[in-house]
Structures are given as structure tokens and as C-alpha cells.
Amino acid sequence: MIDDLRIHPGGEPGPRPAGELVLYWMQSTHRAHDNFALDFAIEQANALRLPVVVYHGLRVDYPWASDRLHTFILEAVVDLYADFEARGIQYGFYLDPGPGRRPARSPLVLLAERAALVVTDYFPTFIVPRQTRALRRKVEPPVVAVDSCTVVPLAFFDRAHLTAISFRSALNPAVPHYLRRPESPEPRIQRAIDLSFEPLVPTAATIPALVAGLSIDHAVPPAIRGGTRAGRERLAEFLATGLSSYAELRGDPTAEHATSRISPYLHFGNLSPHEVVLGAREAGAGQSSDKFQDEALVWRELSYNFVQHDPKHRTVDAIPGWAREELRKGEADARPVLYTDAELEYARTGNELWNASQRAFLVDGWMHNVMRMLWGKAVLQWTPNAAECLRILEHLNNKYSLDGRDPSTYAGIHWIFGKFDRPFYRRPVYGTVRYQSLKAAAGKFDTEAYLSRHARELPGIG
Ligand SMILES: Cc1cc2nc3c(=O)[nH]c(=O)nc-3n(C[C@H](O)[C@H](O)[C@H](O)COP(=O)(O)OP(=O)(O)OC[C@H]3O[C@@H](n4cnc5c(N)ncnc54)[C@H](O)[C@@H]3O)c2cc1C
């Protein structure tokens, strides 16, 4: 049975008796394992003696749609076909061809109208809440959103926690109960359903041409291979070679394998947070394993707690009052320089270390945590105010980073403005909000090595 705290119904009555299927509409949890929405759909389908069908669509018109994001998702779809087939579950993927080439009626709506019940992923930010509300308005069957985001369900916490210390003490007692691999039920009714659209079955060989034919941003090229298989390879490699020195080396952005680099796979749901944390526990005890679990559990789930409880997490209204006031006063202070959006985006500032970190986003689609902190703090003094800084940081993070558009995006960016932090000594522009210096970074790690690692420009942009 799925924990009630994971289930977010839309207020509609129960399943429609007339339905021919239970539909799982996959939005943000791109995996066939450890997936509570899928499990709930199977449970309901078994109880109603109906088949379960998985519909997964990819639009062209979501914000920041690009070759990079589309390719990552399509690579995950290759795995999803294999994984659902192995479980005997019908999965159909629909690639939106874009305006003017779409069928008269949306394949999702057509399928949902035939369902007794629609189950979808609960995700507290980006386009997911809006899409779920839109389907609820369009179709008669109930649309139930189920949370697979975190180890401890988001609804377990009835308030926003303002510090990691407070959140840790609320989360830790719940972990023993929730930290286990979910036992997924098997579907009892195996009956193929006519999907009313031709599902697309991509392969590694066909993905480049598929992506090239869509009207999305072709200037942001693929960067990291997507999917559960690639994610598990990455996780296994880290657990075998990086975890034991994580506590010691995670602060060094030049130590390439010191952190897991699994954030894109967690963002798209290719990996479950359960398998990541349990994997670290099984790989060994000690300071490094504890530190990694603290990041993957406490900091990651604190980010979800923030976004879940603050509908204004994309705005400066989510900055803590004391910090907002400090930054507002700092607007009167002289900036060393103000850069245009293009100078920031294409890594054309006067600071070479900052440019190298931005090139990590541009070229690799990922940036080390230490560099993200320096990167964000620097932009505060190169923009006129916090609102402008937030706008450009969100744009750069979400456009280029494969783990962007995530609760951790907004928690990370708001940390730049003082969220989860305390006041420090006052200085111009920042007031008492913590300052971090790009210049001082030279004494902390080998900045020359970082510069040469990120010397490559993204071809064709800027
Ligand atoms: C300005 C700024 C922007 C950020 N934007 C994002 C973003 O868009 N997406 C994103 O996933 N993270 C973001 N972070 C948090 C953090 O930088 C990344 O999660 C981390 O660098 C990912 O690398 P990793 O997978 O090697 O992490 P590891 O150190 O190996 O940690 C394992 C996992 O724990 C989680 N985690 C680690 N650190 C944090 C943290 N500080 N906050 C929340 N979760 C954490 C991530 O899911 C990560 O994959 C941002 C931080 C800052 C300061």
C-alpha cells in the first residue's frame, strides 16, 4: 500500500466505473522502479480489474527546451521501453512535433478520457503543477498526483524548515520508516490497449535526427547521457571510487570524481533517492558516507520542503526578511561593474575563474557545488539588485544545467541571497549576507587546473 502522505488527490470523486484502463501519466519520475505513482496506478488497476497503461509525452514548448534536455529525456525513454517491457507494462511515448504538426486532439486527453483513473507524478515546481491542473480541468476522471520525489514524503512536514539543523532533526526520526526499497505490485490484468496514437520508439541512433527536426533551442547541445542505465553506472562508479574520500575532497572542484555527479539523474527521476542513499549505506560506513547521505537526504529534501511550502520560490519574496532588507539597502552601493545578460551567459566577464565556471554549464551541462556558490555570489555584485540577479541565475542554471528546473535549483539560488544561512560581517552590496570571493578561491584549490579543464568554448554561441 502506498503511504497516504504520498497521495495528492485533486478533490474529485473516486475512479469512474466506465473506464477501460488506469492511466499513469509519467511527467517527472522517468523510471520504472521505486516509483510510487506507478505502484499506486497498478494497485488501483488491480483492484478495478483493469490494465494499467503508461503515457509519457515530451512537448517542444516547455521553457528552455533544447537539444540538451530533449536528448537526455529521449535517452531515458530507450531505457523505459526496455524496463516496462520486462515488467509486462504497456508504455507509450509521444514526441510532440510542435505547433501546426500536432493531431487535432491531444493523445494524453484522448487516453485520459477513456480511463477510470489518471495517476501522475507529484512535483512541486516548474511546469508540472500547472500541467496537472490543466488536465484536471479538461477530463472527467480523477487525476491523482503521487509523490516519489523524496525518501520522506513531502507531506510528512507540515511547515517550512528555515535551517538545515531544524530540518535534520525533523527528518532523521522518519528515515528508518521510509528508507527502504518499495515493493512494487505486479499488474494482474495484461490486456493491450489501443493508444490512439503511434508511440515513438527512439534508439540511440535515431535521437539526433529526431531532435534536429523539432523547433527547440539547437544552440544548447547534448552533454550527459540520460537514463536509468547511465545513472546507475555513474552511481556505481562513485560508490566504488569516490565515496570513501567524499568528505575530504568534495570541496575541491578539480577533483573530478570526488562527488557523485548524479544530480541530473535525480532531477529527471532516472535514479530514486532511495537507491542512492541505500547504496551509500551499503557501500560503507564512516564520515564520508555520512556526509554524502547528509547532502543527498537532508540538503536535497530541505530544498523540496522549501519549494513545497513557498509558492513564491521563484521570486525575491522567498528571500528571508533580514536578508532582503540588507540586499535592498545594498542596492545603493556602487557595483564594480554591471554585465549584460549576454556577457554573463557567454562567459565574457572580466573574471576568468567565473567564466570557466559558466563554461562548465555551457559545455558540460553541470557545475561543481563549490563553483555554483562562487558563481552565484559574484553575480550579486554584477547586477543592480536581487531581483535581476535571481532572474539571470535562474535562466542560466535552468537553460544549461541538466539538473536545473528543480527544487534544489531554487534552494541553491536562494542560498546566494541568504536562505538557510545567518548574517555575516557587513560589506557593500551584500550587507550582512554572506560574501564569497573568487579571488580567495585561489588559496583553496588549484584554480589554474580548473581554468584549463574548462577552457573550451561552446561552439557556435556568443
Ligand atoms: C547557486 C546554486 C545553484 C544550484 N542549482 C542546483 C540545481 O539546479 N540542481 C541541483 O540538483 N542542485 C543544485 N545546487 C545544489 C548542488 O550544487 C548540486 O546538487 C550538486 O553540486 C550536484 O552535484 P553532485 O550530484 O555531484 O552532488 P553530491 O555532492 O554527490 O551530492 C549527492 C546529491 O545530493 C544532493 N545535493 C548535494 N548538495 C546539495 C545542495 N547543496 N542542495 C540540495 N541538494 C544537494 C543532489 O541531489 C546531489 O546529486 C545548486 C547550488 C547552488 C549554490
Side-chain angles (χ1 to χ4, degrees):
M1 284 286 282
I2 308 301
D3 193 306
D4 279 351
L5 290 175
R6 295 204 181 268
I7 300 171
H8 297 253
E12 311 91 331
R16 284 189 325 158
E20 351 159 9
L21 59 122
V22 169
L23 182 66
Y24 166 38
W25 170 29
M26 179 179 278
Q27 292 196 75
S28 54
T29 311
H30 300 175
R31 61 177 180 263
H33 65 282
D34 298 355
N35 182 328
F36 296 102
L38 172 67
D39 293 352
F40 183 70
I42 297 171
E43 267 179 23
Q44 295 294 312
N46 287 347
L48 294 163
R49 298 183 190 287
L50 291 174
V52 65
V53 172
V54 183
Y55 170 88
H56 184 188
L58 179 58
R59 306 175 63 100
V60 290
D61 51 5
Y62 62 92
W64 302 290
S66 66
D67 288 11
R68 178 169 295 171
L69 302 184
H70 257 59
T71 300
F72 191 96
I73 294 167
L74 284 162
E75 286 164 345
V77 169
V78 176
D79 289 355
L80 286 166
Y81 269 107
D83 294 343
F84 277 115
E85 192 183 352
R87 292 195 58 187
I89 297 171
Q90 189 176 358
Y91 165 83
F93 176 76
Y94 174 72
L95 183 63
D96 170 23
R101 293 152 72 191
R102 290 181 176 137
R105 297 203 66 207
S106 137
L108 169 63
V109 171
L110 285 173
L111 263 179
E113 280 172 345
R114 290 160 56 197
L117 170 73
V118 180
V119 180
T120 191
D121 299 317
Y122 184 84
F123 189 72
T125 192
F126 197 46
I127 54 174
V128 177
R130 197 172 65 232
Q131 292 193 148
T132 304
R133 282 196 299 274
L135 188 69
R136 281 187 175 133
R137 280 195 302 271
K138 280 185 200 147
V139 300
E140 205 187 302
V143 179
V144 177
V146 179
D147 161 19
S148 306
C149 299
T150 44
V151 169
V152 178
L154 298 181
F156 181 85
F157 307 98
D158 56 7
R159 68 177 178 92
H161 285 266
L162 303 182
T163 64
I165 295 174
S166 148
F167 185 66
R168 195 177 284 113
S169 63
L171 176 113
N172 279 345
V175 170
H177 176 71
Y178 287 107
L179 185 57
R180 46 187 121 126
R181 295 296 288 274
E183 272 175 40
S184 189
E186 291 309 318
R188 286 203 204 108
I189 308 296
Q190 305 272 352
R191 187 167 65 234
I193 291 287
D194 171 16
L195 295 177
S196 42
F197 69 96
E198 192 54 51
L200 177 87
V201 186
T203 65
T206 60
I207 289 172
L210 287 170
V211 166
L214 298 172
S215 80
I216 53 178
D217 188 346
H218 298 303
V220 186
I224 298 171
R225 186 159 64 92
T228 294
R229 280 161 189 65
R232 284 187 168 160
E233 275 168 29
R234 183 86 276 286
L235 177 64
E237 187 193 328
F238 168 72
L239 295 178
T241 62
L243 180 66
S244 58
S245 52
Y246 181 78
E248 185 194 340
L249 295 179
R250 63 182 284 274
D252 180 355
T254 65
E256 288 221 350
H257 300 285
T259 73
S260 68
R261 290 179 290 139
I262 55 167
S263 49
Y265 302 102
L266 281 168
H267 167 69
F268 284 103
N270 300 159
L271 291 177
S272 74
H274 297 74
E275 70 186 305
V276 169
V277 177
L278 285 169
R281 289 197 172 185
E282 282 155 21
Q287 202 195 350
S288 274
S289 183
D290 289 351
K291 185 66 194 151
F292 178 76
Q293 289 174 50
D294 197 60
E295 296 297 326
L297 255 177
V298 177
W299 281 97
R300 181 171 179 275
E301 302 204 358
L302 174 62
S303 305
Y304 275 85
N305 175 261
F306 159 50
V307 165
Q308 167 79 353
H309 287 276
D310 195 338
K312 295 192 170 169
H313 58 268
R314 295 184 66 183
T315 75
V316 286
D317 291 343
I319 300 176
W322 67 268
R324 206 176 331 141
E325 186 53 21
E326 289 291 326
L327 295 172
R328 194 193 56 73
K329 284 192 212 142
E331 286 172 21
D333 297 336
R335 266 65 181 156
V337 55
L338 290 175
Y339 289 114
T340 63
D341 284 7
E343 284 167 330
L344 293 167
E345 179 155 355
Y346 303 124
R348 302 278 187 262
T349 75
N351 187 293
E352 274 315 310
L353 185 58
W354 192 92
N355 293 343
S357 70
Q358 175 60 17
R359 281 195 297 270
F361 265 172
L362 292 171
V363 177
D364 300 348
W366 185 86
M367 194 197 294
H368 191 281
N369 184 52
V370 165
M371 296 311 300
R372 289 193 210 218
M373 295 194 281
L374 291 166
W375 170 85
K377 289 284 184 187
V379 177
L380 245 181
Q381 62 182 338
W382 295 338
T383 42
N385 53 49
E388 275 299 292
C389 180
L390 189 146
R391 180 189 60 75
I392 188 73
L393 291 184
E394 182 197 34
H395 173 69
L396 300 180
N397 197 130
N398 285 354
K399 179 171 175 181
Y400 291 104
S401 192
L402 274 156
D403 61 19
R405 307 153 309 282
D406 191 86
S408 299
T409 310
Y410 294 101
I413 290 176
H414 275 283
W415 178 85
I416 300 297
F417 303 118
K419 182 89 191 157
F420 310 125
D421 212 356
R422 63 176 173 83
F424 283 75
Y425 292 111
R426 177 164 280 111
R427 55 176 298 131
V429 179
Y430 298 79
T432 57
V433 171
R434 184 200 294 253
Y435 168 72
Q436 284 194 340
S437 150
L438 283 161
K439 217 185 253 169
K444 296 183 183 148
F445 63 91
D446 184 352
T447 49
E448 286 305 318
Y450 190 83
L451 286 173
S452 63
R453 164 73 184 81
H454 297 287
R456 195 158 73 84
E457 300 269 353
L458 194 59
I461 63 170

